[in-house]
Amino acid sequence: TAGPTIDPNTPAAARAHTPAGAEAFVRHFYQQVNAAWTTPSAGIIAALSSPGCKSCSELEATASKLTQKKQHYDGPPVTIVSAGGLADVSPGHAQVLVTFIQEHRNVVDASGHIALTDQRKTGKFVATLGWSTQGWSVVAVKSLA
């Protein structure tokens, strides 16, 4: 199955079909989530994920909502602390364990009024990636308690 077309701005390390490439791609993906939510800009997240990725669709929906409401995050909402490969779950698929910080950030409108505040918290999730001729894409994200 063909995946999304790889963004030409995807770093070379994140294009490698290796465990390190999968880790670099996950880091790149969340840098793009930060960009989509701080700019805001719809379409960035969808370009790096598979259509069946529910978590990715929710991230993209937030970017779209921010764009429609002319709101944005006042700084990068997510910091990736670590990303480490777990295993190839099947040929062409890899899993990456991610430790992250949801930063204390505000969602502001064009006038600078605060619409929402996210509190700082830490968490972990497993990202499952798929490999195609276009490169990596996120196919699933599962939060860990």
Side-chain angles (χ1 to χ4, degrees):
T1 303
T5 302
I6 285 298
D7 177 342
N9 298 316
T10 299
R15 294 175 186 239
H17 188 200
T18 63
E23 293 167 21
F25 185 82
V26 169
R27 289 181 182 278
H28 172 67
F29 179 82
Y30 281 92
Q31 288 172 343
Q32 296 308 300
V33 170
N34 283 339
W37 289 12
T38 57
T39 306
S41 181
I44 295 172
I45 299 163
L48 298 171
S49 55
S50 297
C53 178
K54 292 178 185 176
S55 296
C56 304
S57 295
E58 291 170 10
L59 295 171
E60 180 63 39
T62 298
S64 294
K65 184 172 64 171
L66 290 167
T67 302
Q68 290 166 358
K69 292 184 172 187
K70 297 184 179 2
Q71 297 174 337
H72 66 276
Y73 274 81
D74 62 0
V78 178
T79 299
I80 300 298
V81 176
S82 66
L86 290 176
D88 285 344
V89 289
S90 64
H93 289 84
Q95 288 188 324
V96 179
L97 174 63
V98 178
T99 302
F100 71 96
I101 299 169
Q102 173 187 295
E103 300 292 352
H104 177 91
R105 298 284 188 233
N106 296 314
V107 173
V108 296
D109 64 19
S111 303
H113 294 104
I114 297 172
L116 170 77
T117 300
D118 284 346
Q119 297 305 315
R120 189 176 197 270
K121 65 181 181 180
T122 60
K124 289 183 179 185
F125 63 85
V126 173
T128 301
L129 305 182
W131 179 261
S132 72
T133 56
Q134 287 82 25
W136 292 112
S137 63
V138 180
V139 297
V141 177
K142 182 178 180 190
S143 220
L144 302 174

